């Protein structure tokens, strides 16, 4: 069966520090991979998606970037965090049918 | 542009009641529709997936229906339990640009013992 791993579960970072969140999927190949953000009291916002290695589509201009160095690995990064980057970050995967989510990372930028 | 709306934003009912959550979408050209559950501070759990050719899907006490022509889906929860308390989200996958889902804002459901 397929599983998705996302870490860390919580992260507290100072403004201006770098960020790296990692997501890996097991039990499937060539999945579509996604990064979503959920700000407090707001809906899910799609940040990036990838249909293959090295293929990244950005949905909103922002302080973040994404990379897919391997088929089942998706990384969300920032060189310098802003206060507005705080939120709940979710990784997800699909094969054009069901979408499956990881457990999320709660990021607090102080 | 596809927009997804969920009404009500919050709902509180006594235990044992049957209830309906609503989801509406503006563009009927969808590939599928998915219902999720989210507990506080947790990721989203997939509940039901309805393909565009289907009218409904059932899983245990949950039944989801889809009416593409009217742009509506409902999630029916039978014999509600306190453990059903969570936020429920619907999401539609468009035919064009099918890599992406469009989410509603969710309905926060509270089941009172």
């Amino acid at each position: 069966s397929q599983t998705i791993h996302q870490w860390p579960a919580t992260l507290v970072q100072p403004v201006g520090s770098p960020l790296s969140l990692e997501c890996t999927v097991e039990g499937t190949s060539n999945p579509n991979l996604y990064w979503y953000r959920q700000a407090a009291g707001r809906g899910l916002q799609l940040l990036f998606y990838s249909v293959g290695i090295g293929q990244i589509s950005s949905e909103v201009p922002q302080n973040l970037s994404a990379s897919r160095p391997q088929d089942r690995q998706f990384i969300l990064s920032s060189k310098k965090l802003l206060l507005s980057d705080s939120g709940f970050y979710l990784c997800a995967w699909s094969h054009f049918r069901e979408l499956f989510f990881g457990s999320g990372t709660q990021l607090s930028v102080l | 542009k596809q927009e997804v709306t969920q009404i009500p934003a919050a709902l509180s009912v006594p235990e044992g009641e049957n209830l309906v959550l609503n989801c509406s979408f503006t563009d009927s050209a969808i590939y599928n529709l998915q219902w999720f559950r989210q507990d506080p501070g947790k990721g989203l759990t997939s509940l039901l997936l309805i393909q565009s050719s289907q009218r409904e899907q059932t899983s245990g006490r949950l039944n989801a229906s889809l009416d593409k022509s009217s742009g509506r889906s409902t999630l029916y929860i039978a014999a509600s339990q306190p453990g059903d308390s969570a936020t429920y989200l619907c999401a539609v996958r468009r035919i064009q640009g099918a890599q992406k889902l469009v989410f509603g804002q969710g309905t926060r459901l509270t089941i009172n013992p």
Side-chain angles (χ1 to χ4, degrees), chain B:
Chain B
K1 179 185 174 185
Q2 177 74 275
E3 293 183 0
V4 180
T5 304
Q6 291 186 248
I7 296 174
L11 180 64
S12 181
V13 301
E15 180 179 2
E17 279 200 6
N18 303 324
L19 59 98
V20 175
L21 305 181
N22 297 294
C23 172
S24 61
F25 46 95
T26 54
D27 184 354
S28 62
I30 66 170
Y31 188 75
N32 60 37
L33 183 146
Q34 196 169 353
W35 281 93
F36 296 88
R37 168 190 173 133
Q38 185 177 27
D39 294 289
K42 304 293 184 183
L44 279 70
T45 300
S46 177
L47 297 175
L48 290 164
L49 173 73
I50 310 179
Q51 292 296 112
S52 61
S53 58
Q54 297 175 319
R55 297 280 295 183
E56 63 178 332
Q57 281 287 329
T58 299
S59 176
R61 294 182 294 108
L62 304 179
N63 176 276
S65 69
L66 174 64
D67 184 344
K68 272 199 321 178
S69 61
S70 65
R72 297 164 81 172
S73 176
T74 61
L75 180 67
Y76 174 83
I77 303 177
S80 59
Q81 303 170 359
D84 295 329
S85 298
T87 297
Y88 291 81
L89 297 98
C90 70
V92 298
R93 188 187 294 274
R94 299 172 295 179
I95 292 175
Q96 199 160 12
Q99 299 90 341
K100 300 179 288 186
L101 275 71
V102 181
F103 280 83
Q105 295 278 351
T107 294
R108 188 173 69 254
L109 176 65
T110 302
I111 306 300
N112 301 304

